[in-house]
Amino acid sequence: MLESLRGLGYTTSTAIADIVDNSISAGASLVDIRFEWADAQSFVRITDDGLGMDDPELESALRLGAKDPRDSRSKDDLGRFGMGLKTATFSQARRLTVATRKAGGAIACLRWDLDRIHEGEAGQWPLFEGPEAGSEPRIAALDTMEQGTIVLWETLDRIVTQGFKPTDLADLVEQVDSHLAMTFHRLIGPRLTILLNGRKVQPWDPFLLGHASKRWESDEYRLAGAPDVLVQCHVLPHRDFFPKPEVYDKAGGPAGWTSQQGFYVYRNERLLLPGTWLRLGERGKAWTKDEPHRLARIRLDIPNTADAEWKIDILKSTAAPPVRLREQLARLARETREKARDVFAFRGGRAASAPSTSGALPDVWNARALAQGTTYRIARDHDLVASILDRAGPMRDEILSLLRLIEETVPVQRIWLDTAEDKEIPRNGFSAAPDKEVLETLETMFDVLVRHRGLSEDEARSRLAKTKPFDAFPALVGQLALKD
């Protein structure tokens, strides 16, 4: 059974996070994690300054399934199954030693060793007193601590595998750092300090709270029928609003912008799921993670009394919202996704307004939904297009053929591939053009509206100021005047 439990699916990062959960539940303000390289004798040690345990409490903590998940517990407790300490450890190592003491009490130390299970009598799983011979220095720090706990992993057969090198350990430490920074970001700071090989873990905030260019942050909602479930929706800034590429990359999160979109599910401010659409969707189809919605992130807080209803698993890695709450969550997610899509499509600017209500010129491109798919056509009634056609004379047919050729050869697949590879829509809207080029186009449009459409100069400037992409250049529009 124990060998089977080793395959639950922990990574080193999630296993370490489970141990940190126990430290937080014990009231620790400091958790010190060390990965020590010594070839086959390498070890991991997690030390905290929490309340500690006496001998009976330690023996209970090392028993599999020591807690009934149905029992009531403190609202600050991060555990549920009474399995995390053991299953997290055995997913990475074959030997677990826990040394602990309460304030004013003696040190208690017990050890699991999967290689010595066979030494127990029939039906018995032996716990050994004290550390393995030679490992005493690895828990010696507890001698000078008033209270606290040390968790020691040895025989790291799932970490130090064949060919594993010190550089691999360094990479692993970086992965653990990123995971802890994300998982405990709301706890790190005033309440908790986490040290990883002597360096403070810096919290990673998925919602960029306080960012000056953040596009949208909703109020905090309480769900109808579940007032203890809190939701807050966020749409992050477009990449154009980040001063440096490295700042933008960090904001994307450990898995990158596209993978980090969706709901962030927390329990007692501890992150359980980082970025998931919770199998919600529309018209019977679940939403997937795609580029247009990568700026959408939603904070979702559930109480620890809702674990069973939300189907939280032992690994704290899956959750499913109750059926009665799915429609509310889907509605909030739909609104957030729409806003995020607009920010992505318009690079953080305003989405185009409807011409019928804004007084803007019609779009140059029209989309038409057909049975075989959507087609895109150049609007023949666009003021500039219509003006050219009206004055084309014998070249009208050639111009219409050219427009048709352009419509039928839009490089849709190339645009799609470039967007997927660059993870960004192609630049348009004169975003990279000098003012001189923008002004040349504006002057042509202005001349058409005044001379050939019969608008006054004020009317022409007003319409251009409301029309994409010229609404981004109000100063240039304002200086337009009819030339002789």
Side-chain angles (χ1 to χ4, degrees), residues 155-169:
T155 316
L156 306 176
D157 65 326
R158 296 293 178 89
I159 297 177
V160 184
T161 56
Q162 186 175 4
F164 193 85
K165 305 180 295 295
T167 53
D168 297 316
L169 185 67

Side-chain angles (χ1 to χ4, degrees), residues 1 12 36 123 167 241:
M1 174 179 148
T12 303
E36 296 289 350
T167 53
F241 291 88

Side-chain angles (χ1 to χ4, degrees), residues 326-449:
R326 290 178 66 85
E327 180 51 42
Q328 295 181 69
L329 293 172
R331 177 175 52 80
L332 292 171
R334 193 177 301 114
E335 180 182 8
T336 307
R337 285 168 58 86
E338 289 173 357
K339 291 180 182 293
R341 190 177 187 276
D342 282 346
V343 173
F344 177 81
F346 296 98
R347 312 190 78 86
R350 293 188 296 107
S353 303
S356 59
T357 58
S358 71
L361 300 180
D363 254 347
V364 176
W365 286 96
N366 289 334
R368 294 167 52 189
L370 304 176
Q372 298 82 9
T374 303
T375 64
Y376 298 89
R377 296 287 181 258
I378 295 174
R380 304 301 193 264
D381 61 347
H382 185 275
D383 293 83
L384 181 57
V385 177
S387 172
I388 292 172
L389 291 175
D390 288 345
R391 295 177 287 122
M395 294 191 65
R396 178 184 173 86
D397 289 343
E398 293 180 39
I399 294 173
L400 287 172
S401 295
L402 175 61
L403 296 180
R404 182 68 177 176
L405 179 62
I406 292 172
E407 292 168 343
E408 295 298 336
T409 57
V410 174
V412 175
Q413 291 193 358
R414 174 63 185 271
I415 293 171
W416 182 84
L417 285 171
D418 288 345
T419 300
E421 292 172 358
D422 298 340
K423 303 197 181 303
E424 195 54 71
I425 59 172
R427 289 189 172 271
N428 55 16
F430 295 104
S431 60
D435 285 355
K436 180 181 178 182
E437 293 181 11
V438 181
L439 189 58
E440 288 174 355
T441 306
L442 271 170
E443 287 173 342
T444 301
M445 290 289 300
F446 183 74
D447 189 79
V448 165
L449 292 174

Side-chain angles (χ1 to χ4, degrees), residues 2 36 69 161-162 170 183 210 247 250-251 258 302 355 376 386:
L2 283 170
E36 296 289 350
T161 56
Q162 186 175 4
T183 302
V247 177
K250 181 178 179 181
T258 302
I302 65 173
Y376 298 89

Side-chain angles (χ1 to χ4, degrees), residues 240-241 346-353 360 427-435 438-439 442 461-480:
D240 289 353
F241 291 88
F346 296 98
R347 312 190 78 86
R350 293 188 296 107
S353 303
R427 289 189 172 271
N428 55 16
F430 295 104
S431 60
D435 285 355
V438 181
L439 189 58
L442 271 170
R461 280 190 290 267
S462 176
R463 293 193 69 181
L464 288 171
K466 298 174 182 178
T467 300
K468 285 284 183 184
F470 305 120
D471 58 349
F473 304 93
L476 296 181
V477 173
Q479 70 186 56
L480 291 172

Side-chain angles (χ1 to χ4, degrees), residues 1-6 58-66 82-83 86-87 90 96 110-129:
M1 174 179 148
L2 283 170
E3 294 293 343
S4 298
L5 288 175
R6 305 193 76 198
L58 174 59
E59 187 169 346
S60 175
L62 288 177
R63 187 184 312 128
L64 286 164
M83 300 283 283
K86 286 76 68 177
T87 54
F90 296 146
L96 165 64
L110 292 173
R111 180 175 87 257
W112 271 103
D113 193 331
L114 297 188
D115 291 330
R116 298 182 63 184
I117 290 292
H118 65 279
E119 295 180 15
E121 297 178 9
Q124 299 293 319
W125 297 349
L127 279 173
F128 298 99
E129 292 278 353

